[in-house]
Amino acid sequence: MRDDDPRLPTSPGFWRSPLRGTWFTSVLGLVLLVGVTVLFVTGLVSYAAYNPDLAPVNDQTPDKGILGFYLFSWPTNPYWLYRVTQGLHVTLGIVLIPVLLAKLWSVVPKLFTLPPARSLAHALERVSLLLLVGGGLFEFTTGVLNVQLDYVFPGSFYPLHFYGAWVFFAAFLAHAALKTPTALRAVRERRQHGDEGDEGELATPRPDAPTVSRRGALWFTGGASLLLLVMTAGQSIGGVWRRTALLAPHGGADPGSGPNGFQINKTAAYAGIDAQETGPEAWRLVVTGRDGRTVRLSRAELLRLPLHSAALPIACVEGWSTADQWWRGVRLRDLAALVGYDTDPPDVLVESVQRHGAFRRAALRANQVADPRSLLALQVNGEDLSPDHGYPARVIVPAAPGVLNTKWVARMTFGDL
């Protein structure tokens, strides 16, 4: 068969949809230009929220080099900051899936054009396209799997998504620099000349009879994105809207009822927490501070310390969040004072009874320790913590990612990390 045989995907005549054209692709590309940029920025914000430069336990990305550059100390105000930024990141990522697929469909004939490289510049462009398409599919796929808690890919999600994001966004920037002027020109010309006009190299030379207009196809894509928005956003909004989040693992009814009846990511059973270890006879909180000063406190002794309350949500990297819950416990800065830090409390390393799994240890920066709403929580909504919510004690910090709000706390070490 010849390369121009219409039975081969390398032939322009093989691709006969009348929808393909420069304007159609340009509109989708401009939507992705804005959307992917927001995704990358909110992804960097999420990375900053872990305070990655504070301690290796917060960021175990190997060989990150200059890609792991320091952004800023993650603030505690506003207290809902991570809930909004990560909710936007995950929800927008899912909403853009129909746009990404439509964009790839609109340009798929170009992936089969021959010869594969007409010049060195053309070869570099084709390589960048492979990185762009492969990186985009990889990032969106791993992101969706992470939201669904389906870790079927090899290795840890965090470094895979981290490095994949840099590869994808580098290719995306190069592609945007080359194609954005063309896309803007195509949209302007379409606005000036209406539906008639040159559709460029993306149009098929032998189109089939149309069954829907290009505008109709765009409306269909937008409708699919709107449907995904409705089926996802509720996990971050909370309240009655949570029931609409059918694509989110935490989108159904709240688990159980009563004061502890709100979302749980990791149960005590999943974490391997032994009830005997957390019982009143065995469990002690070990607090270490200045010059090795150490105190050991039972739960009863913690309850006799000054207790404070704070209304804070839990927001996780998967995009889900709880409504504000009313936590009560001992301020982290008061625990720091017990071991020699009466003023200006330092960073703290928090360790869980949990022995295996990611984030069984987490580091908090001094500004997080000093915030009066940062607690070693003993109760929630007027009742003792349930085992799944971290009994006998858990950390709760305003604006911190959920994994840094360590459950089943066993040890706290204050000092420079």
Side-chain angles (χ1 to χ4, degrees):
M1 296 184 181
R2 303 189 317 274
D3 291 342
D4 59 351
D5 191 316
R7 291 172 294 178
L8 292 176
T10 53
S11 169
F14 180 86
W15 309 97
R16 302 189 60 185
S17 172
L19 296 180
R20 290 190 177 92
T22 303
W23 175 80
F24 182 73
T25 298
S26 296
V27 173
L28 295 171
L30 291 173
V31 172
L32 287 174
L33 176 64
V34 176
V36 170
T37 301
V38 173
L39 284 180
F40 187 73
V41 171
T42 52
L44 284 180
V45 166
S46 179
Y47 182 66
Y50 285 78
N51 286 319
D53 69 315
L54 179 58
V57 298
N58 282 16
D59 179 25
Q60 301 179 29
T61 305
D63 302 323
K64 57 187 178 182
I66 62 172
L67 298 182
F69 58 87
Y70 174 68
L71 291 171
F72 50 83
S73 297
W74 187 248
T76 56
N77 284 306
Y79 72 90
W80 39 259
L81 179 61
Y82 192 72
R83 181 183 186 186
V84 170
T85 59
Q86 191 61 13
L88 174 62
H89 181 79
V90 171
T91 302
L92 180 61
I94 292 176
V95 166
L96 286 178
I97 289 175
V99 183
L100 175 68
L101 295 178
K103 174 68 159 58
L104 294 179
W105 173 86
S106 73
V107 298
V108 70
K110 296 195 69 176
L111 299 179
F112 292 90
T113 55
L114 295 176
R118 296 190 296 268
S119 64
L120 178 60
H122 184 244
L124 291 175
E125 180 184 355
R126 296 298 293 272
V127 171
S128 70
L129 282 177
L130 289 176
L131 292 175
L132 179 69
V133 173
L137 292 175
F138 178 83
E139 285 298 286
F140 278 82
T141 300
T142 54
V144 169
L145 289 173
N146 181 63
V147 169
Q148 297 300 324
L149 307 180
D150 290 330
Y151 301 109
V152 297
F153 38 80
S156 170
F157 166 77
Y158 297 97
L160 288 174
H161 206 66
F162 176 85
Y163 286 120
W166 281 107
V167 171
F168 170 55
F169 197 68
F172 178 80
L173 284 179
H175 186 73
L178 291 172
K179 298 299 183 181
T180 298
T182 302
L184 291 173
R185 184 167 57 252
V187 172
R188 283 197 302 267
E189 290 177 353
R190 183 63 171 252
R191 188 182 300 118
Q192 294 171 356
H193 304 297
D195 292 342
E196 298 298 327
D198 179 16
E199 288 299 342
E201 61 180 356
L202 294 175
T204 177
R206 300 173 56 224
D208 285 330
T211 56
V212 65
S213 68
R214 291 189 175 102
R215 292 184 185 275
L218 287 177
W219 278 109
F220 178 80
T221 304
S225 291
L226 180 61
L227 179 63
L228 290 179
L229 174 65
V230 172
M231 297 174 68
T232 306
Q235 69 168 347
S236 300
I237 298 172
V240 296
W241 294 101
R242 190 175 301 281
R243 298 178 183 274
T244 67
L246 302 179
L247 295 182
H250 302 272
D254 290 351
S257 60
N260 279 275
F262 55 95
Q263 286 69 36
I264 298 166
N265 200 11
K266 184 188 299 181
T267 65
Y270 177 86
I273 303 301
D274 187 339
Q276 292 183 342
E277 288 185 282
T278 57
E281 298 301 322
W283 183 84
R284 295 293 184 272
L285 173 68
V286 180
V287 185
T288 302
R290 194 187 299 274
D291 300 323
R293 188 182 306 182
T294 300
V295 297
R296 294 170 57 88
L297 299 166
S298 67
R299 197 171 191 277
E301 289 170 325
L302 285 168
L303 286 167
R304 288 196 290 269
L305 295 175
L307 301 181
H308 301 269
S309 299
L312 299 171
I314 297 174
C316 280
V317 69
E318 295 91 0
W320 67 269
S321 58
T322 71
D324 292 355
Q325 308 299 320
W326 194 254
W327 307 91
R328 188 163 177 80
V330 182
R331 286 175 173 168
L332 298 188
R333 67 186 190 185
D334 292 343
L335 291 171
L338 291 177
V339 289
Y341 295 100
D342 298 313
T343 58
D344 297 326
D347 308 330
V348 64
L349 176 66
V350 184
E351 300 177 73
S352 174
V353 172
Q354 180 185 353
R355 291 185 175 86
H356 305 286
F359 294 103
R360 61 187 181 274
R361 299 188 297 162
L364 299 172
R365 202 176 288 280
N367 68 303
Q368 294 173 310
V369 176
D371 193 292
R373 297 164 296 177
S374 296
L375 304 174
L376 180 70
L378 305 170
Q379 300 170 336
V380 63
N381 299 323
E383 186 176 279
D384 286 347
L385 296 169
S386 69
D388 287 341
H389 280 301
Y391 180 90
R394 70 168 299 162
V395 165
I396 187 75
V397 174
V403 292
L404 299 186
N405 293 316
T406 307
K407 298 196 285 189
W408 314 293
V409 175
R411 179 182 292 272
M412 305 181 75
T413 304
F414 290 92
D416 295 332
L417 302 179

